[in-house]
Amino acid sequence: MKTAKVAIVGFGTIGSGVARLLVEHQERISRHAGRPVQLARVVDPDLSRPRNITLPKGLLTDDLSKVTGDPDIEVAVELVGGLEPARTIVLKLLESGKNIVTANKALLAEHGQELFDRARKLGRSIAFEASVGGGIPIIAAIGQSLSANQIQSIRAILNGTSNFILTQMEEHGRDYAASVAEAQRLGYAEANPAMDVNGSDAAQKLAILAHLAFGTKVNWKAIPRIGIDTVEVADLRYAKELGYSIKLLAVAKLVPEGLELHVSPTLVRQGTPLAEVRGAYNAIRVIGDAVGQVFFHGLGAGQMPTASAVVADLIDTVVGRTAITFHTLELWSNDRRTLVTARDPDSVPGRFYLRFNVDDTPGVLAELAGALGRHNISIASVIQHETEEEADGVVPLVIMTHTAPEGAVRRALDEINRLSCVHEGTVRMRVGGSEETHR
Ligand code: HSE
């Protein structure tokens, strides 16, 4: 049987994990692939950095042409990350006849159409299980296992770093910066952790899932997103008092007006499955019209969980399964009919938790309530704890709203934030409601 030679391009955290699986478990992987699988090359500009795997001699190179110029290499794994040079590298690899496996959600969310069109023209495939949900097989689940269904909604924790940070803050009252540093040390965070904490990483992953599940072509930048970078330990305490945990949720929901999409820190009812997702875990709740509710839970970031998904894609590609699904799914293709368009983000309704830092003086509450009222936003409750006189006279004020369109809330906050009695640091979060089902 012909040996399937594979290459890794990008020898960082995930690349080392993939190399470990391929080198240390070659026999198992070959058995699952039905023929010998051999790591033939690893490409990275940094030849000296220590990694937690010792490669067989001569494998590591900084020269991509050792892969593009070797016709025996069938599959290349792109683990460079980011947009460039990753995009150029994938195009070169496709041109040289390689099938691609990638974990790069930013690349797919930004250049999916170009890369998939190129692969189709060249008769190659691109597999991307590791791009969403780390080790959770959500791409295969939505693309294949749930294909009898019309997916109705996806409600998900898609960023392990944010969930890790929120868990540290909630359980240990640990400060935000220390939690970010720890997430980076553990290899969960992106090279630029801003993408993790400002909701961009989750929005990119949501755009991929929305395309797969609903055929919706949406630019991830058009998905309204709020990050966790404004959340304070105090918000987690208020939420707890109200019976909620805070999670960075990515939501896609099919309604008659189209597909509702948003990423936002969300108050999730305690005792529901999503509220119990801790640390770097991700979870994805999918509702399909035939299957009902399905819940996926697993490590969404980190070396070996992500490597697990990458190597599964490698095996699928070697077996030939990827080529079949790649062509039938017609992802990021102009030929694929757009089945559902995204709903105008401003019209997407929700209940909101708002926290303001305000002067503790008469009339302030009336000013805020007036601004909300002018935008037709109804107040459900107000929390202001009695405090000792603050030295600077600034106190937190929490307002929970009834259901209102996102655009109206955003506009009301723009107005409120300009008031002289309102100080920096306004927080806006969604509040999960009846859609949170208990076990
Ligand atoms: N940085 C990502 C996360 C992992 O924290 O979830 C890779 O997608």
Side-chain angles (χ1 to χ4, degrees):
M1 274 222 159
K2 191 178 173 221
T3 296
K5 291 197 174 174
V6 304
I8 296 171
V9 182
F11 197 32
T13 308
I14 311 300
S16 319
V18 172
R20 260 179 72 188
L21 283 176
L22 290 173
V23 171
E24 293 171 9
H25 300 285
Q26 188 182 8
E27 193 278 327
R28 176 174 83 205
I29 286 158
S30 300
R31 188 159 25 91
H32 293 170
R35 60 185 169 117
V37 176
Q38 186 198 336
L39 179 60
R41 282 281 171 208
V42 178
V43 185
D44 196 278
D46 185 343
L47 301 177
S48 55
R49 177 155 42 104
R51 281 100 170 174
N52 61 355
I53 163 84
T54 310
L55 292 176
K57 260 205 160 28
L59 245 60
L60 184 59
T61 172
D62 56 6
D63 181 2
L64 185 69
S65 71
K66 292 263 172 34
V67 177
T68 53
D70 182 345
D72 286 342
I73 296 177
E74 297 176 22
V75 193
V77 182
E78 181 276 310
L79 295 169
V80 174
L83 298 182
E84 282 296 354
R87 173 181 153 275
T88 307
I89 288 172
V90 169
L91 288 170
K92 279 188 187 162
L93 291 166
L94 285 169
E95 302 290 345
S96 68
K98 314 301 173 209
N99 291 309
I100 304 292
V101 173
T102 181
N104 193 335
K105 71 249 130 179
L107 186 65
L108 296 182
E110 199 78 38
H111 298 298
Q113 173 106 23
E114 178 191 19
L115 299 177
F116 276 55
D117 274 348
R118 202 78 207 111
R120 271 185 288 267
K121 283 217 175 71
L122 294 162
R124 299 296 111 193
S125 63
I126 300 177
F128 54 100
E129 181 61 72
S131 65
V132 182
I136 303 172
I138 189 64
I139 301 295
I142 293 180
Q144 298 162 50
S145 317
L146 296 174
S147 56
N149 290 263
Q150 169 61 60
I151 303 296
Q152 294 169 323
S153 74
I154 295 171
R155 227 172 140 69
I157 295 170
L158 294 178
N159 186 265
T161 301
S162 296
N163 206 59
F164 178 85
I165 292 167
L166 289 172
T167 307
Q168 295 279 311
M169 290 170 74
E170 185 178 33
E171 292 182 355
H172 309 294
R174 195 171 188 182
D175 89 5
Y176 178 79
S179 305
V180 175
E182 181 66 355
Q184 281 179 296
R185 193 186 66 79
L186 293 168
Y188 303 146
E190 298 299 301
N192 171 8
M195 300 286 283
D196 291 297
V197 295
N198 68 16
S200 299
D201 176 82
Q204 289 172 340
K205 292 168 178 168
L206 184 64
I208 293 171
L209 292 185
H211 185 55
L212 191 62
F214 303 98
T216 307
K217 279 185 198 152
V218 60
N219 183 332
W220 70 269
K221 290 183 189 130
I223 299 177
R225 57 193 189 284
I226 306 174
I228 62 156
D229 35 4
T230 53
V231 177
E232 291 183 4
V233 172
D235 295 307
L236 291 146
R237 291 207 193 102
Y238 282 118
K240 193 172 180 185
E241 198 178 305
L242 294 160
Y244 295 93
S245 280
I246 298 174
K247 298 290 171 194
L248 183 68
L249 285 198
V251 174
K253 185 177 169 194
L254 195 56
V255 294
E257 295 84 357
L259 190 67
E260 294 183 355
L261 292 162
H262 47 84
V263 173
S264 169
T266 304
L267 273 67
V268 180
R269 271 252 169 257
Q270 281 170 0
T272 57
L274 281 172
E276 286 172 25
V277 177
R278 307 245 165 258
Y281 280 83
N282 280 190
I284 303 142
R285 192 204 61 183
V286 181
I287 296 182
D289 60 352
V291 73
Q293 178 173 283
V294 193
F295 194 76
F296 301 86
H297 180 250
L299 276 167
Q303 186 182 54
M304 296 318 289
T306 310
S308 157
V310 168
V311 175
D313 268 350
L314 257 177
I315 293 172
D316 272 359
T317 304
V318 167
V319 170
R321 283 190 288 260
T322 307
I324 297 168
T325 47
F326 185 74
H327 291 288
T328 53
L329 281 176
E330 282 197 325
L331 293 172
W332 286 287
S333 157
N334 278 332
D335 298 339
R336 191 184 187 201
R337 207 157 49 91
T338 298
L339 300 173
V340 185
T341 49
R343 183 179 183 182
D344 168 20
D346 273 0
S347 68
V348 175
R351 290 195 301 134
F352 290 86
Y353 163 106
L354 310 171
R355 179 172 56 74
F356 304 97
N357 295 319
V358 294
D359 288 337
D360 195 9
T361 50
V364 166
L365 183 55
E367 278 200 73
L368 268 60
L372 291 170
R374 278 192 293 285
H375 291 272
N376 216 14
I377 298 160
S378 172
I379 295 173
S381 62
V382 177
I383 310 175
Q384 186 185 3
H385 289 307
E386 205 165 314
T387 49
E388 295 292 313
E389 289 271 303
E390 300 274 335
D392 56 1
V394 177
V395 290
L397 176 72
V398 171
I399 294 180
M400 303 282 279
T401 74
H402 283 300
T403 302
E406 169 112 26
V409 176
R410 200 172 29 73
R411 284 189 292 273
L413 290 195
D414 286 346
E415 192 178 320
I416 290 172
N417 286 333
R418 285 197 298 270
L419 295 172
S420 61
C421 61
V422 176
H423 296 257
E424 270 194 1
T426 298
V427 172
R428 164 165 57 115
M429 296 191 247
R430 286 184 165 263
V431 181
S434 52
E435 64 274 62
E436 297 304 335
T437 38
H438 287 260
R439 282 184 205 285

